[in-house]
Amino acid sequence: MASPSAPPEAFTRAVAGLRADSPRPEILLEEIAAPQRLAPYSFALSATVQRSGDEVASGRLILLHDPAGHEAWRGDIRLVTLVTAELEDDLASDPLLPAVAWTWLTDALEQHAAAYTAIGGTITQTASTRFGELAGPAPTADLEVRASWTPTSADLTAHLTGWCTMLASTAGLPPPGVASLSGWLGATPDHGLRP
Protein backbone atom coordinates (compact mmCIF):
# COMPACT_ATOMS: atom_id res chain seq x y z
CA MET A 1 0.00 0.00 0.00
CA ALA A 2 3.00 2.33 0.19
CA SER A 3 2.62 5.32 -2.06
CA PRO A 4 5.27 5.99 -4.73
CA SER A 5 4.77 9.75 -4.35
CA ALA A 6 6.57 11.90 -1.80
CA PRO A 7 5.27 11.32 1.73
CA PRO A 8 2.91 13.95 3.13
CA GLU A 9 4.38 16.68 5.32
CA ALA A 10 2.45 15.38 8.38
CA PHE A 11 4.10 11.96 8.02
CA THR A 12 7.57 13.45 7.45
CA ARG A 13 7.20 15.60 10.57
CA ALA A 14 5.94 12.65 12.61
CA VAL A 15 8.92 10.51 11.55
CA ALA A 16 11.32 13.33 12.44
CA GLY A 17 9.89 13.37 15.97
CA LEU A 18 10.46 9.64 16.33
CA ARG A 19 14.05 9.91 15.09
CA ALA A 20 15.04 11.92 18.15
CA ASP A 21 17.74 10.44 20.37
CA SER A 22 16.77 8.04 23.14
CA PRO A 23 16.33 10.00 26.37
CA ARG A 24 18.07 7.23 28.37
CA PRO A 25 21.39 5.47 27.74
CA GLU A 26 19.87 2.13 28.84
CA ILE A 27 17.44 2.21 25.91
CA LEU A 28 18.80 1.43 22.44
CA LEU A 29 16.52 2.57 19.60
CA GLU A 30 16.84 1.30 16.03
CA GLU A 31 14.80 1.84 12.90
CA ILE A 32 13.28 -1.39 11.60
CA ALA A 33 11.13 -2.37 8.63
CA ALA A 34 7.58 -1.15 9.13
CA PRO A 35 4.47 -3.12 8.23
CA GLN A 36 3.28 -2.07 4.77
CA ARG A 37 -0.34 -3.21 4.73
CA LEU A 38 -1.77 -1.33 7.69
CA ALA A 39 -1.65 2.19 6.25
CA PRO A 40 -0.39 4.02 3.16
CA TYR A 41 2.61 5.31 5.14
CA SER A 42 4.38 3.63 8.05
CA PHE A 43 7.57 3.84 10.10
CA ALA A 44 8.85 1.65 12.95
CA LEU A 45 11.37 1.61 15.77
CA SER A 46 12.60 -1.20 17.97
CA ALA A 47 13.88 -0.70 21.50
CA THR A 48 16.10 -2.82 23.70
CA VAL A 49 16.31 -1.98 27.40
CA GLN A 50 19.40 -3.01 29.36
CA ARG A 51 19.79 -3.19 33.13
CA SER A 52 23.20 -4.12 34.57
CA GLY A 53 24.25 -5.38 31.14
CA ASP A 54 21.24 -7.70 30.69
CA GLU A 55 18.37 -7.20 28.27
CA VAL A 56 15.27 -6.92 30.46
CA ALA A 57 12.69 -5.46 28.07
CA SER A 58 12.12 -4.84 24.39
CA GLY A 59 9.55 -3.09 22.32
CA ARG A 60 8.37 -1.81 18.98
CA LEU A 61 6.73 1.50 18.19
CA ILE A 62 4.97 1.73 14.85
CA LEU A 63 3.74 4.94 13.22
CA LEU A 64 0.83 4.61 10.80
CA HIS A 65 -0.39 7.46 8.61
CA ASP A 66 -3.44 7.53 6.39
CA PRO A 67 -3.92 10.99 4.84
CA ALA A 68 -7.61 10.21 4.31
CA GLY A 69 -8.06 9.65 8.02
CA HIS A 70 -9.38 6.59 9.78
CA GLU A 71 -12.67 6.58 11.67
CA ALA A 72 -11.50 4.15 14.37
CA TRP A 73 -8.33 6.18 14.93
CA ARG A 74 -10.22 9.48 15.13
CA GLY A 75 -7.41 11.00 13.10
CA ASP A 76 -4.88 10.30 10.37
CA ILE A 77 -1.88 9.28 12.51
CA ARG A 78 -1.77 6.27 14.84
CA LEU A 79 0.96 4.94 17.13
CA VAL A 80 0.99 1.21 17.91
CA THR A 81 3.28 -0.45 20.44
CA LEU A 82 4.20 -3.87 21.72
CA VAL A 83 6.45 -4.04 24.79
CA THR A 84 7.63 -7.19 26.56
CA ALA A 85 9.59 -7.41 29.80
CA GLU A 86 10.80 -10.01 32.25
CA LEU A 87 9.00 -9.96 35.59
CA GLU A 88 10.31 -10.56 39.07
CA ASP A 89 8.82 -13.76 40.48
CA ASP A 90 6.76 -11.95 43.10
CA LEU A 91 5.10 -9.75 40.46
CA ALA A 92 4.14 -12.58 38.12
CA SER A 93 0.88 -13.37 39.91
CA ASP A 94 0.06 -9.89 41.22
CA PRO A 95 -3.56 -9.20 40.19
CA LEU A 96 -2.94 -5.44 40.30
CA LEU A 97 -0.04 -5.53 37.83
CA PRO A 98 -2.09 -5.09 34.62
CA ALA A 99 -3.75 -1.92 35.93
CA VAL A 100 -0.41 -0.57 37.14
CA ALA A 101 1.28 -1.40 33.83
CA TRP A 102 -1.45 0.46 31.95
CA THR A 103 -0.80 3.57 34.05
CA TRP A 104 2.90 3.31 33.17
CA LEU A 105 1.86 4.13 29.60
CA THR A 106 -0.84 6.73 30.25
CA ASP A 107 1.10 8.50 33.01
CA ALA A 108 4.28 8.60 30.87
CA LEU A 109 2.43 10.17 27.95
CA GLU A 110 0.77 12.73 30.22
CA GLN A 111 4.04 13.46 32.06
CA HIS A 112 5.65 14.48 28.76
CA ALA A 113 2.58 16.38 27.48
CA ALA A 114 2.09 13.88 24.64
CA ALA A 115 -1.55 14.67 23.90
CA TYR A 116 -3.60 11.80 22.48
CA THR A 117 -7.06 10.40 21.92
CA ALA A 118 -8.63 7.00 21.21
CA ILE A 119 -6.17 5.02 23.35
CA GLY A 120 -6.70 1.31 23.88
CA GLY A 121 -4.75 -1.81 24.63
CA THR A 122 -4.19 -5.01 26.56
CA ILE A 123 -1.80 -6.06 29.31
CA THR A 124 -0.84 -9.74 29.56
CA GLN A 125 1.06 -11.56 32.31
CA THR A 126 2.50 -14.97 31.46
CA ALA A 127 4.37 -17.57 33.46
CA SER A 128 6.33 -20.32 31.69
CA THR A 129 7.73 -23.55 33.09
CA ARG A 130 9.78 -25.82 30.79
CA PHE A 131 9.45 -29.60 30.74
CA GLY A 132 10.94 -32.60 28.96
CA GLU A 133 13.38 -31.78 26.17
CA LEU A 134 12.87 -28.06 26.85
CA ALA A 135 13.60 -28.38 30.57
CA GLY A 136 16.21 -25.96 31.70
CA PRO A 137 16.10 -22.61 33.38
CA ALA A 138 13.83 -21.87 36.30
CA PRO A 139 10.27 -20.77 35.53
CA THR A 140 10.05 -17.35 33.91
CA ALA A 141 7.40 -14.67 33.92
CA ASP A 142 6.79 -11.94 31.38
CA LEU A 143 4.66 -8.86 30.93
CA GLU A 144 3.34 -7.81 27.53
CA VAL A 145 1.85 -4.41 26.76
CA ARG A 146 -0.03 -3.93 23.48
CA ALA A 147 -1.48 -0.48 22.93
CA SER A 148 -2.33 2.11 20.32
CA TRP A 149 -3.31 5.76 20.44
CA THR A 150 -3.86 8.74 18.16
CA PRO A 151 -1.55 11.72 18.74
CA THR A 152 -3.32 15.07 18.45
CA SER A 153 -0.23 16.69 16.91
CA ALA A 154 2.14 15.57 14.14
CA ASP A 155 5.16 16.41 16.34
CA LEU A 156 5.79 13.05 18.01
CA THR A 157 8.92 13.89 20.03
CA ALA A 158 6.93 13.95 23.29
CA HIS A 159 5.32 10.62 22.37
CA LEU A 160 8.75 9.05 21.84
CA THR A 161 9.94 10.38 25.20
CA GLY A 162 6.77 9.15 26.91
CA TRP A 163 7.10 5.73 25.28
CA CYS A 164 10.72 5.46 26.47
CA THR A 165 9.60 6.43 29.99
CA MET A 166 7.02 3.64 29.88
CA LEU A 167 9.71 1.20 28.67
CA ALA A 168 11.93 2.21 31.59
CA SER A 169 9.09 1.64 34.07
CA THR A 170 8.27 -1.72 32.52
CA ALA A 171 11.94 -2.74 32.76
CA GLY A 172 12.20 -1.63 36.40
CA LEU A 173 14.75 1.11 35.76
CA PRO A 174 15.01 3.82 38.41
CA PRO A 175 14.04 7.34 37.34
CA PRO A 176 16.83 9.33 35.61
CA GLY A 177 19.37 10.62 38.11
CA VAL A 178 18.37 8.10 40.79
CA ALA A 179 20.83 5.30 41.57
CA SER A 180 19.60 1.79 42.25
CA LEU A 181 20.05 0.84 45.91
CA SER A 182 20.29 -2.91 45.31
CA GLY A 183 24.04 -2.89 44.63
CA TRP A 184 25.27 -1.09 47.71
CA LEU A 185 22.64 -2.27 50.21
CA GLY A 186 23.85 -5.85 50.02
CA ALA A 187 27.52 -4.88 50.09
CA THR A 188 27.32 -2.71 53.21
CA PRO A 189 24.85 -4.12 55.72
CA ASP A 190 25.31 -1.23 58.17
CA HIS A 191 25.02 1.32 55.30
CA GLY A 192 28.04 3.11 56.70
CA LEU A 193 26.00 4.48 59.58
CA ARG A 194 28.13 3.12 62.41
CA PRO A 195 29.82 5.82 64.48
Side-chain angles (χ1 to χ4, degrees), residues 46-136:
S46 72
T48 303
V49 185
Q50 303 257 327
R51 186 177 62 218
S52 303
D54 295 324
E55 181 180 327
V56 292
S58 62
R60 290 190 307 262
L61 183 64
I62 300 168
L63 163 66
L64 303 174
H65 176 57
D66 187 342
H70 198 289
E71 186 177 346
W73 299 353
R74 292 189 228 160
D76 60 4
I77 290 178
R78 189 80 171 163
L79 288 173
V80 180
T81 190
L82 167 65
V83 171
T84 57
E86 296 176 7
L87 287 176
E88 301 291 331
D89 292 340
D90 57 336
L91 292 177
S93 59
D94 188 336
L96 299 177
L97 182 62
V100 170
W102 184 251
T103 65
W104 289 337
L105 173 60
T106 57
D107 288 355
L109 292 174
E110 290 168 15
Q111 174 187 347
H112 295 285
Y116 61 86
T117 188
I119 193 168
T122 60
I123 309 292
T124 306
Q125 295 161 272
T126 60
S128 302
T129 304
R130 298 171 186 238
F131 295 96
E133 294 294 318
L134 296 177

Side-chain angles (χ1 to χ4, degrees), residues 18-35:
L18 295 181
R19 283 185 168 148
D21 288 335
S22 170
R24 296 198 57 154
E26 305 95 334
I27 300 176
L28 173 66
L29 298 177
E30 295 181 296
E31 291 183 27
I32 58 172

